Amino acid sequence: MDVEGRATQKIEEGEEKGSQNDDSGLATAHTIDHDSWKQVGLMLVTTFNCGWILSFSNLIMWPLGWTWGIICLLVVGLYTAYANWLLAAFHFVDNRRFIRYRDLMGYVYGKSMYHITWAFQFFTLLLGNMGFILLGGKALKEINSEFSYSPLRLQYYIVITGVAYFFYSFSFPTISAMKNWLGVSAVLTFTYIIFLFFVLVKDGKSNSNRDFDIGGNEVSKVFNSFGAISVIVVSNTSGLLLEIQSTLRKPAVKNMKKALCLQYTVGVLFYYGVTVMGYWAYGSAVSAYLPENLSGPKWINVLINAIVFLQSIVSQHMFVAPILEALDTKFLEIDKAMHSGENLKRLFLLRASFFTGNTFVAAAFPFMGDFVNFLGSFSLIPLTFMFPSMLFIKVKGRTASIEKKAWHWFNIVFSFLLTIATTISAVRLIVENIQKYHFFADA
């Protein structure tokens, strides 16, 4: 164990023995110090294998092709795992514990970085939740399409999805409260992926005419490649590691790293597997929503879409938790039980307001898929790669070796340039498709 590891362990042992932590940021309406690493690891595995993975064959492999697709999946995946591993060690700084990413950045770099971090997180998670609502709506519409040549408009299913998310979030308001549903979510996750693999293998063997050509001119290929890289980042990280880590029992750093090991071994096998298999089965014709390519039988198509919808109800809750925690901490009476009479009324109004707004926006702009690249580039890349190295330079820079400092400065500069390149790519995609955008489109 290195010096940094021993220091972190000492701090955690002190906390466990009851040493005083004067960080006012520990005041929260949500549960902390409660969950086992296995529970959090299972949550990471299942939530990162939500229905969003059904778009990755199109968004990642189609722009990159086989060689660069596999290379980027491996390199970006390892780089993301390293960045999260690094950030997990900064759960404790100067004998203080930080349960929110923005609190940590604010403590180390000042109020401006607090607001920047919170804005990046808020933007990422808010847009991500709208994407989940759209995903659930599309899954329900696909089910309807199996039984009718004229299915209802997508907006009806978006509203149904928003209502379902609201009731789940109201009934189980915190990450820790998801515990009893993670087993069900895991069964649903592995069931739909197994059936999906079955159909993909069948379709791939029968589809002898597929091609793997990368379309577009050289300029568009370059921009599309940067877009694909930002989607790989989205597939591997969430930008809310410290908020998840806050729910863990002590030692929180060690337990978070165990949970990350589970995600980047078991979890990655499934969502990378679907990404690669979808491209293998359909080639450059792979759809932005993989079930649209499936040949059937009908009952498997219905089952996969039904499970995607049900599983998304649980998965979306983790990704929106920091926003809900901020609302609950501000507006609930945190000295009383979450489901006390007054808090229950406030909780209902908070969740109803939040999901009503998100559902309306998702229904009005049902082309959120085009914003996944923007989500991964503008905000998630800095949160994942740049900020942890900035923390290292500030917190450990005086005692670190020249090689380590050079490495982290490289991370900062590289991730900054990558953010610019991928953001330009994402904006270019939106501009190219702007003519097809219109309010309440039946996409």
Side-chain angles (χ1 to χ4, degrees):
M1 184 184 293
D2 60 14
V3 175
E4 294 167 28
R6 287 196 297 269
T8 299
Q9 186 180 40
K10 280 186 177 181
I11 294 170
E12 292 199 81
E13 287 173 352
E15 290 296 305
E16 198 160 20
K17 291 175 182 176
S19 65
Q20 184 65 32
N21 188 323
D22 62 357
D23 180 17
S24 60
L26 289 178
T28 176
H30 285 202
T31 306
I32 60 174
D33 299 327
H34 181 270
D35 304 334
S36 69
W37 73 264
K38 294 177 182 177
Q39 177 181 330
V40 172
L42 182 62
M43 180 179 68
L44 292 174
V45 169
T46 55
T47 53
F48 278 97
N49 277 289
C50 65
W52 276 45
I53 69 174
L54 301 176
S55 66
F56 291 161
S57 299
N58 174 273
L59 296 176
I60 295 173
M61 296 301 295
W62 178 79
L64 294 172
W66 277 117
T67 302
W68 282 107
I70 298 299
I71 290 173
C72 288
L73 283 172
L74 293 176
V75 172
V76 177
L78 288 171
Y79 193 27
T80 306
Y82 162 76
N84 281 319
W85 190 272
L86 175 66
L87 181 58
F90 291 111
H91 192 55
F92 293 88
V93 174
D94 294 342
N95 293 340
R96 293 168 176 254
R97 183 183 184 189
F98 293 91
I99 64 173
R100 304 178 187 93
Y101 203 169
R102 62 187 184 276
D103 290 342
L104 174 59
M105 292 302 294
Y107 176 76
V108 174
Y109 277 99
K111 188 171 290 186
S112 294
M113 280 306 300
Y114 171 93
H115 293 300
I116 290 172
T117 306
W118 183 217
F120 278 3
Q121 278 192 308
F122 186 89
F123 172 79
T124 301
L125 302 176
L126 193 65
L127 191 58
N129 187 255
M130 294 175 192
F132 265 108
I133 293 173
L134 180 59
L135 167 71
K138 283 196 170 185
L140 291 178
K141 185 175 181 179
E142 283 297 309
I143 295 173
N144 190 188
S145 298
E146 293 290 340
F147 299 99
S148 173
Y149 291 107
S150 56
L152 296 173
R153 289 180 60 85
L154 177 62
Q155 279 69 25
Y156 289 102
Y157 302 110
I158 288 176
V159 171
I160 293 171
T161 303
V163 171
Y165 288 5
F166 157 73
F167 277 113
Y168 182 86
S169 180
F170 175 69
S171 302
F172 307 95
T174 69
I175 287 180
S176 295
M178 295 168 62
K179 177 180 180 179
N180 294 331
W181 287 89
L182 291 177
V184 175
S185 180
V187 171
L188 291 174
T189 300
F190 298 133
T191 298
Y192 97 80
I193 290 178
I194 288 170
F195 278 112
L196 182 63
F197 278 147
F198 172 79
V199 179
L200 291 177
V201 170
K202 177 174 70 72
D203 288 356
K205 288 181 177 179
S206 62
N207 185 9
S208 58
N209 297 322
R210 64 188 182 276
D211 69 79
F212 301 100
D213 295 334
I214 302 174
N217 56 41
E218 293 303 315
V219 174
S220 64
K221 286 180 181 179
V222 171
F223 279 111
N224 291 340
S225 296
F226 280 117
I229 290 171
S230 68
V231 176
I232 299 176
V233 176
V234 172
S235 75
N236 279 288
T237 191
S238 59
L240 51 96
L241 184 136
L242 291 179
E243 287 79 2
I244 295 172
Q245 191 172 1
S246 71
T247 69
L248 280 166
R249 300 169 190 159
K250 299 177 181 68
V253 173
K254 183 185 292 185
N255 285 336
M256 188 69 241
K257 290 182 175 180
K258 288 180 181 178
L260 287 173
C261 285
L262 201 59
Q263 176 194 343
Y264 289 110
T265 52
V266 178
V268 77
L269 287 177
F270 287 96
Y271 56 79
Y272 273 13
V274 170
T275 302
V276 172
M277 286 294 293
Y279 186 62
W280 170 80
Y282 308 112
S284 57
V286 66
S287 172
Y289 183 61
L290 198 54
E292 293 176 349
N293 287 118
L294 303 182
S295 64
K298 178 187 289 188
W299 69 269
I300 286 186
N301 292 0
V302 171
L303 180 65
I304 289 174
N305 280 289
I307 291 177
V308 165
F309 170 74
L310 293 173
Q311 199 263 13
S312 74
I313 297 175
V314 180
S315 295
Q316 62 85 29
H317 192 57
M318 183 194 84
F319 290 101
V320 79
I323 297 178
L324 300 181
E325 187 272 336
L327 292 172
D328 294 345
T329 301
K330 182 174 180 62
F331 293 105
L332 299 186
E333 297 178 351
I334 62 175
D335 57 330
K336 297 182 180 178
M338 178 76 77
H339 288 99
S340 64
E342 182 61 30
N343 277 346
L344 205 59
K345 295 176 187 176
R346 298 184 185 187
L347 190 67
F348 182 90
L349 291 174
L350 289 171
R351 296 296 186 272
S353 300
F354 179 82
F355 284 101
T356 297
N358 273 13
T359 302
F360 176 80
V361 174
F365 302 92
F367 34 78
M368 286 292 171
D370 288 353
F371 289 84
V372 172
N373 292 350
F374 192 62
L375 166 70
S377 58
F378 178 71
S379 56
L380 197 53
I381 288 177
L383 287 171
T384 303
F385 303 122
M386 185 187 299
F387 290 2
S389 284
M390 288 171 60
L391 288 169
F392 182 92
I393 293 295
K394 192 75 170 180
V395 176
K396 304 291 184 182
R398 291 182 179 179
T399 57
S401 65
I402 295 176
E403 292 81 5
K404 282 190 175 183
K405 286 189 283 188
W407 164 247
H408 287 286
W409 274 115
F410 167 79
N411 287 339
I412 293 169
V413 175
F414 175 75
S415 57
F416 176 74
L417 296 175
L418 184 62
T419 299
I420 294 174
T422 53
T423 301
I424 292 173
S425 171
V427 172
R428 181 177 178 272
L429 176 66
I430 293 170
V431 171
E432 283 184 349
N433 294 333
I434 199 166
Q435 289 184 345
K436 74 177 183 180
Y437 298 160
H438 58 275
F439 289 125
F440 300 100
D442 187 19

